[in-house]
Amino acid sequence: MALDRETLQELDRADALSAFHGRFALPQGVIYLDGNSLGALPVGSAERAAQVITEEWGQGLIRSWNSAGWFELPQRLGNKLGQLLGAHEGETVVTDTTSLNLFKALASALRTQRADAPGRRVIITERDNFPTDIYIAQGLSDLINAMREETGIDYEVLLIDSEAELLQALNEHTAVLSLSHVNYRTGAMWDMQSITAAAHDAGALMIWDLAHAAGAVPVDLNRADADYAVGCTYKYLNGGPGAPAFIWVHARHHARFWQPLAGWWSHAEPFAMAENYAPADDIRRFMCGTQPITSMAMVENGLDISLEAGLDALRRASLEFTDLFIELVETQCADFGLELITPRDHAQRGSHVSFRHAHGYEIMAALIDRGVIGDYREPEVLRFGITPLYLSRTDVYDAVQILRDVLHTGVWQREEYRVRNAVT
Amino acid sequence: MALDRETLQELDRADALSAFHGRFALPQGVIYLDGNSLGALPVGSAERAAQVITEEWGQGLIRSWNSAGWFELPQRLGNKLGQLLGAHEGETVVTDTTSLNLFKALASALRTQRADAPGRRVIITERDNFPTDIYIAQGLSDLINAMREETGIDYEVLLIDSEAELLQALNEHTAVLSLSHVNYRTGAMWDMQSITAAAHDAGALMIWDLAHAAGAVPVDLNRADADYAVGCTYKYLNGGPGAPAFIWVHARHHARFWQPLAGWWSHAEPFAMAENYAPADDIRRFMCGTQPITSMAMVENGLDISLEAGLDALRRASLEFTDLFIELVETQCADFGLELITPRDHAQRGSHVSFRHAHGYEIMAALIDRGVIGDYREPEVLRFGITPLYLSRTDVYDAVQILRDVLHTGVWQREEYRVRNAVT
């Protein structure tokens, strides 16, 4: 394939997904390669928020819980999102944050194993998992251990570094396996089907964090027979900064045990104002308290666009564009010490590409200064998110030209690019 | 005091708080007496949201975590809100939901008592507390009990019905006392100072839920020497539907034990991406995951208005208006079976007034149909929230005339007013 700009432009023009680019309001002069961290603003989301605020809140006031459907919103959006996850109706709810939803899933899973297989006290996760996934497991284990009398039979979080290590670690002590489908740093993707089967074969329950997968790669939770899944809506689903997250729970776990974040929204009859907790027997059991309606309402617009484009088309483009990005970087930026850490195998790749470089921070700062917005993750990783909903082959091409320029001129060595922000 | 409409209008005209009424966008033909459930829309909040969405998200994209101050928002708003609570700088954070923040406070308190006084396993709360406060305590206890080997030494939630019963129940088994400062149904208010002292005298830690107090009554958490407090921003603080809640933690508890919702935002160095949890030594320890920025940003406008008006002025007006409402109902709606369940003693009253009536639901439905928006709570309770930021004495007067009309004509007996909504 000829990688000149004109050829790529022609391919872009012929691509049905190009029609979606106009559905996003991106700033002039920016090539946005950070949709894996915060998705772009879809056209219509600001208008939807204005409607929620001015009409539903301002005019409808408290009545809007009924008349504007606020009360049903977490489940209605959950069912819409579930279409991208291989979920059945009633298995998904949009609520809270990914961290909190993971806590619910882990606690529910440990509670279930406690009843079915009380000797299982190990949560296995990946050392390179997104940190909050590790911390939440450690926080839950710490609570359980601290509140018990016994010593020496603690719950524990075991960190594995590879698939081989994982398959060896799964045994009769494993309560839960909790993994991110797509790795936040490297973009590496686990095989959901075979890993879930391996967990089940070992008698463990399986939790998937889909933060970097939902809206980016096809997911089929029921086909994989997973137990729980969580994820966010503000990356590939373009829901807006900090938009509420989601939790999916296989129907077999809906009615068994309480999840401990037992707020009134998880009650069988929240408005009966009963004095004892009685959880709903369905996915509502995994809700907790009142949700931020304005932020949540905007999730729908992003979801609708993803559903309209279709995950198969998005995945096909994502693989082509990530291939293109890798090839262009490797041919045009050779000799500058960039090391690809994203798998070349399509079956193992999510929708972002990462390179390691000793001066990754400064190079990324210089790139952002030139309108190519990716991000940096410790240690030494430059991340580039590929989001075909609002990116073209030409964008990918242009971004690499600017990267080449930054590396070739050494402009990244300027003092100003060494200043670290609070959030990087 | 003469209670004719003209006199009240004159008093309104002379009232400095009347100047704030124009700061809210209320619908025509509505007297809004439900600010204790969802506060009104302040002028400027829609514009702030539009700025967050169009400029900060749309144009700034991921850069806005730094450049628009998103990362600091929970703490910055917490410090602002803390001024209404008697908080010191750095003790309050706006984050998550009230239910979740209560879970953090309870878990942290139980963890602390476990170290200091391991025999204390009772959480005392009120049978008439807002249900989620009871459920969260029951959910946490259930988790701890279920994950232990021992039997017969369970954690338990004890429900009390009166102050006398409370003072008798506080003993060497009490780990935590968790109360709502202002009762959601009756509007009754606990004496924060003496109840906190009683809890401490018994060796218990004290948690206050300020959902119906923050922005409604003066609160001084440090003067009361409370341990934890939680509450919401969407009632008297006018933050918007489901706006993020808050948690206040006395500095003596910041650095002792993990709270189990140990998400990355509570880590000492969230962006170091460390593989082990190491909590921040300050109020950040009580955060968890990424917050809904659009909904959160709108909290500031409401807070600013409350700070500008001042809680002393708001409290003075609230007591006068609730007195007025009670007097008008009792003189003009006598013989219709309305029973006041809100304390007449100012020291025991929050900022809403509740009456019990066997047909409370239908009467409230008929009132709402006539533009007087209060709400109904099981069993048989009509609630009327008094919010002097956007209510006048004349509004109170007019609302009672409409209530009288509804009762006098018996129009509430129409079939249409018996239909129950999902949310009441």
Side-chain angles (χ1 to χ4, degrees), chain B residues 72-87:
Chain B
E72 299 300 328
L73 201 54
Q75 290 175 267
R76 193 167 65 73
L77 295 181
N79 283 328
K80 225 170 218 197
L81 172 55
Q83 297 172 37
L84 298 171
L85 308 177

Side-chain angles (χ1 to χ4, degrees), chain A residues 25-28 30 32 34 37-42 45-46 49-50 52-54 57-63 65-66 70-72 96-97 99-100 103-104 107 110-111 114 118 121 127 130-132 134-136 138-140 142-144 146-150 153 155 159 184 234 238-244 258-265 267 269-278 288-296 298 368 373-375 377-378 421-424, chain B residues 25-28 30 32 34 37-42 45-46 49-50 52-54 57-63 65-66 70-72 96-97 99-100 103-104 107 110-111 114 118 121 127 130-132 134-136 138-140 142-144 146-150 153 155 159 184 234 238-244 258-265 267 269-278 288-296 298 368 373-375 377-378 421-424:
Chain A
L26 282 162
Q28 290 292 320
V30 158
Y32 194 56
D34 211 5
S37 186
L38 173 63
L41 168 63
S45 292
V52 169
I53 298 166
T54 306
W57 175 19
Q59 298 294 304
L61 291 157
I62 192 69
R63 297 169 291 196
W65 281 104
N66 292 305
W70 291 350
F71 192 62
E72 298 300 327
D96 294 329
T97 67
S99 298
L100 290 163
F103 185 91
K104 298 171 193 169
L110 290 188
R111 193 81 178 68
R114 184 70 171 180
R121 294 194 187 89
R127 191 181 312 278
F130 187 72
T132 213
I134 301 175
Y135 304 161
I136 287 286
Q138 290 174 337
L140 175 59
D142 173 75
L143 175 73
I144 293 170
M147 302 308 281
R148 293 150 49 96
E149 306 293 337
E150 318 91 343
I153 48 168
Y155 278 77
L159 304 179
Y184 80 106
Y234 54 72
N238 306 299
W258 299 8
Q259 63 86 4
L261 304 183
W264 67 311
W265 278 65
H267 197 278
E269 294 184 81
F271 288 91
M273 303 288 161
E275 75 189 42
N276 283 308
Y277 183 61
C288 182
T290 306
Q291 294 300 299
I293 296 298
T294 309
S295 284
M296 182 174 283
M298 283 195 290
I368 292 172
I373 304 182
D375 66 16
R377 281 290 176 265
E378 295 289 354
N421 282 317
V423 187
T424 55
Chain B
L26 283 161
Q28 289 292 320
V30 158
Y32 194 56
D34 212 4
S37 187
L38 173 63
L41 168 63
S45 292
V52 169
I53 298 165
T54 306
W57 174 20
Q59 298 294 304
L61 291 158
I62 193 69
R63 298 169 291 196
W65 281 104
N66 292 303
W70 291 350
F71 192 62
E72 299 300 328
D96 294 330
T97 68
S99 298
L100 291 163
F103 185 91
K104 298 170 193 168
L110 290 188
R111 196 79 177 67
R114 184 70 171 180
R121 296 194 186 88
R127 191 181 312 279
F130 187 74
T132 212
I134 300 175
Y135 304 160
I136 286 286
Q138 291 174 337
L140 176 59
D142 173 75
L143 174 73
I144 293 170
M147 302 309 282
R148 292 150 50 96
E149 305 295 338
E150 318 91 342
I153 48 169
Y155 278 77
L159 304 178
Y184 80 105
Y234 54 73
N238 307 300
W258 299 8
Q259 62 88 2
L261 305 183
W264 67 310
W265 278 64
H267 197 278
E269 294 184 82
F271 289 91
M273 304 286 162
E275 75 188 43
N276 282 310
Y277 183 61
C288 182
T290 306
Q291 294 300 299
I293 296 299
T294 309
S295 284
M296 181 175 282
M298 283 196 290
I368 292 171
I373 304 183
D375 67 16
R377 281 291 174 263
E378 295 291 351
N421 282 318
V423 187
T424 55

Side-chain angles (χ1 to χ4, degrees), chain A residues 134-309:
Chain A
I134 301 175
Y135 304 161
I136 287 286
Q138 290 174 337
L140 175 59
S141 302
D142 173 75
L143 175 73
I144 293 170
N145 294 336
M147 302 308 281
R148 293 150 49 96
E149 306 293 337
E150 318 91 343
T151 51
I153 48 168
D154 277 357
Y155 278 77
E156 104 185 59
V157 180
L158 178 66
L159 304 179
I160 54 91
D161 287 296
S162 67
E163 181 166 350
E165 208 180 307
L166 167 62
L167 296 176
Q168 199 152 33
L170 282 168
N171 62 25
E172 73 277 15
H173 303 298
T174 313
V176 191
L177 174 59
S178 170
L179 295 173
S180 288
H181 188 33
V182 175
N183 185 279
Y184 80 106
R185 282 196 323 110
T186 64
M189 182 166 72
W190 291 97
D191 181 330
M192 181 176 284
Q193 191 82 24
S194 67
I195 296 294
T196 303
H200 286 176
D201 285 349
L205 294 172
M206 184 74 225
I207 301 176
W208 288 105
D209 181 340
L210 305 177
H212 287 265
V217 300
V219 169
D220 196 334
L221 290 163
N222 274 297
R223 185 167 155 266
D225 196 33
D227 296 290
Y228 306 85
V230 301
C232 83
T233 64
Y234 54 72
K235 297 178 186 293
Y236 293 93
L237 296 171
N238 306 299
F246 67 85
I247 181 167
W248 170 89
V249 181
H250 193 287
R252 66 177 164 259
H253 300 300
H254 285 186
R256 279 205 74 191
F257 296 105
W258 299 8
Q259 63 86 4
L261 304 183
W264 67 311
W265 278 65
S266 70
H267 197 278
E269 294 184 81
F271 288 91
M273 303 288 161
E275 75 189 42
N276 283 308
Y277 183 61
D281 278 348
D282 52 33
I283 190 65
R284 292 179 297 137
R285 179 177 300 210
F286 294 86
M287 300 201 286
C288 182
T290 306
Q291 294 300 299
I293 296 298
T294 309
S295 284
M296 182 174 283
M298 283 195 290
V299 170
E300 187 157 22
N301 191 28
L303 276 180
D304 284 342
I305 295 173
S306 289
L307 285 164
E308 200 183 325

Side-chain angles (χ1 to χ4, degrees), chain A residues 2 31 48 60 65 73-74 125 166 184 229 238 255 264 273 294 312 314 323 357 368 404 416:
Chain A
I31 301 175
R48 177 72 186 106
W65 281 104
L73 200 54
T125 187
L166 167 62
Y184 80 106
N238 306 299
W264 67 311
M273 303 288 161
T294 309
D312 288 340
L314 289 170
D323 277 345
H357 191 287
I368 292 172
R404 185 180 61 174
E416 67 196 271

